[in-house]
């Protein structure tokens, strides 16, 4: 399959969409509202006809985990119904689709990292809507890659790293949970990995490695240790930092009453992507350093 057109990214303002556009320059066309709306079939079809892409990456998503609990209709419209329509259109016009999903499709009860074949069991509406999107894509578009990722952060948008640095500008101490574990992922590192998979698809006319893949920062950490790494990097760069006070999920939930439950362990095994494509995202600490550096450079 040789590339005859650009890569169309659905989503423009998000962290991943920005990273993809910056990484591939003119080779990527990133479209978001009002140019394309993932919830409107005509909008999606018009964009595909106009761009005539070689491949489509869906980076549009409803990611407000707590808000999704009371905004279920919109979460499913963006994370499930829209991707289902997009997948059907990709199948109709014969464009491969790479769709980005989440570690929150798992319930966190497993003690070891989750593999692609582990059974999803989302705890909240956000995870359920993303899982519904996965299922719909598998049914509608044979030429699909579903990439599950986790704890994405960058210099753009809202994310944990930016929140920590903002809080540290006004506080000396910050309480962060220490009993939820996952893989922090720097958006540009994720974007580079996804473009690597896209390259494999476009350069191989007999590509057959469709399916689900996990892509996230290498290594395992807790939210508390994630925060400590953020502040260590910021301190080295003369940015804001604070002391991290560890707190259990139970105490955090009682104090702050988040609307959505979080998985205790959403660490992911990413060896399948390495075995099939030679792609493995670097250590999560490298991503934190690069992210903090990028954020501080904007101030």
């Amino acid at each position: 399959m040789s590339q005859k057109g650009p890569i169309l990214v659905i989503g423009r303002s998000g962290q991943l969409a920005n990273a993809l556009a910056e990484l591939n320059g003119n080779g990527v066309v990133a479209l978001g509202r009002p140019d394309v709306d993932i919830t409107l079939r005509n909008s999606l079809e018009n964009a595909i006809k106009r761009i005539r892409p070689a491949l489509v990456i869906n980076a549009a998503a409803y990611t407000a985990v707590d808000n999704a609990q009371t905004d279920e209709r919109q979460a499913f419209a963006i994370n499930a119904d829209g991707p289902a329509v997009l997948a059907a259109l990709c199948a109709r016009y014969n464009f491969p689709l790479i769709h980005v999903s989440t570690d929150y499709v798992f319930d966190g009860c497993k003690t070891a990292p989750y593999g692609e074949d582990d059974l999803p069991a989302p705890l909240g509406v956000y995870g359920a809507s993303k899982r519904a999107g996965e299922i719909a894509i598998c049914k509608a578009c044979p030429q699909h890659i579903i990439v599950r990722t986790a704890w994405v952060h960058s210099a753009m948008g809202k994310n944990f790293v930016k929140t920590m640095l903002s809080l540290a500008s006004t506080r000396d101490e910050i309480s962060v949970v220490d009993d939820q574990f996952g893989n922090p992922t720097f958006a540009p590192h994720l974007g580079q990995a996804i473009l690597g998979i896209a390259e494999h698809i476009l350069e191989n006319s007999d590509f057959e490695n469709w399916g689900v893949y996990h892509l996230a920062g290498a290594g395992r950490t807790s939210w508390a240790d994630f925060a400590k790494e953020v502040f260590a990097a910021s301190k080295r760069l003369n940015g804001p930092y604070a002391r991290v006070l560890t707190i259990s999920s139970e105490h955090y939930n009682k104090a702050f009453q988040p609307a959505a439950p979080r998985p205790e362990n959403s660490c992911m095994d990413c060896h399948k992507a390495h075995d099939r494509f030679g792609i493995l995202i670097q250590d999560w600490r490298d991503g934190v350093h690069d992210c903090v550096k990028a954020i501080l450079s904007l101030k």
Side-chain angles (χ1 to χ4, degrees):
M1 184 183 297
S2 60
Q3 183 167 354
K4 296 180 181 179
I7 293 173
L8 172 60
V9 176
I10 305 298
R12 182 173 57 195
S13 60
Q15 298 181 85
L16 178 58
N18 273 281
L20 288 165
E22 290 182 5
L23 285 166
N24 208 35
N26 294 331
V28 164
V29 176
L31 297 179
R33 292 173 177 169
D35 299 307
V36 67
D37 188 331
I38 187 69
T39 67
L40 299 176
R41 179 186 177 89
N42 288 343
S43 179
L44 289 170
E45 188 162 17
N46 289 339
I48 286 175
K49 287 180 177 179
R50 184 170 74 253
I51 302 301
R52 299 190 62 82
L55 179 145
V56 177
I57 298 174
N58 181 33
Y62 186 113
T63 58
V65 176
D66 286 322
N67 291 346
Q69 293 297 110
T70 54
D71 195 14
E72 184 172 353
R73 178 177 295 182
Q74 186 69 354
F76 270 83
I78 294 173
N79 292 343
D81 302 337
V85 171
L86 178 61
L89 289 170
C90 286
R92 177 181 177 183
Y93 292 102
N94 197 31
F95 299 133
L97 173 63
I98 298 178
H99 172 77
V100 182
S101 191
T102 176
D103 56 328
Y104 275 35
V105 300
F106 297 113
D107 61 13
C109 293
K110 186 179 178 181
T111 55
Y114 281 93
E116 289 83 352
D117 294 331
D118 283 318
L119 184 66
L123 296 175
V125 171
Y126 167 68
S129 67
K130 294 296 287 185
R131 177 54 182 161
E134 292 183 357
I135 294 170
I137 287 167
C138 290
K139 291 180 178 178
C141 183
Q143 295 185 101
H144 72 266
I145 296 284
I146 293 172
V147 171
R148 292 183 183 137
T149 192
W151 298 20
V152 177
H153 53 88
S154 74
M156 308 294 295
K158 296 180 180 179
N159 58 70
F160 182 79
V161 176
K162 292 184 73 176
T163 297
M164 290 298 103
L165 293 177
S166 176
L167 290 174
S169 65
T170 59
R171 301 184 192 178
D172 295 326
E173 298 178 337
I174 300 172
S175 296
V176 187
V177 296
D178 65 350
D179 56 359
Q180 294 176 17
F181 299 90
N183 311 92
T185 310
F186 187 39
H189 293 173
L190 174 62
Q192 190 170 28
I194 289 174
L195 289 175
I197 293 178
E199 185 177 351
H200 276 272
I201 295 171
L202 296 171
E203 290 185 351
N204 292 278
S205 58
D206 58 348
F207 184 88
E208 294 181 349
N209 290 316
W210 308 106
V212 179
Y213 293 86
H214 290 175
L215 284 175
R220 170 185 183 271
T221 194
S222 67
W223 287 112
D225 285 341
F226 186 4
K228 290 176 183 178
E229 192 67 28
V230 169
F231 294 137
S234 184
K235 187 175 182 180
R236 288 194 298 269
L237 295 167
N238 298 314
Y241 61 93
R243 179 178 172 225
V244 174
L245 303 178
T246 59
I247 185 174
S248 69
S249 296
E250 181 181 2
H251 287 134
Y252 179 89
N253 292 341
K254 287 180 180 179
F256 299 99
Q257 298 183 333
R262 267 71 169 174
E264 180 177 334
N265 169 49
S266 61
C267 296
M268 295 193 294
D269 185 334
C270 301
H271 286 92
K272 180 180 174 183
H274 182 261
D275 293 343
R276 298 280 178 86
F277 308 118
I279 293 172
L280 191 66
I281 295 178
Q282 60 225 72
D283 191 279
W284 67 270
R285 297 173 186 84
D286 296 336
V288 168
H289 179 271
D290 290 346
C291 185
V292 170
K293 184 177 181 180
I295 292 169
L296 295 180
S297 71
L298 296 176
K299 295 184 176 182

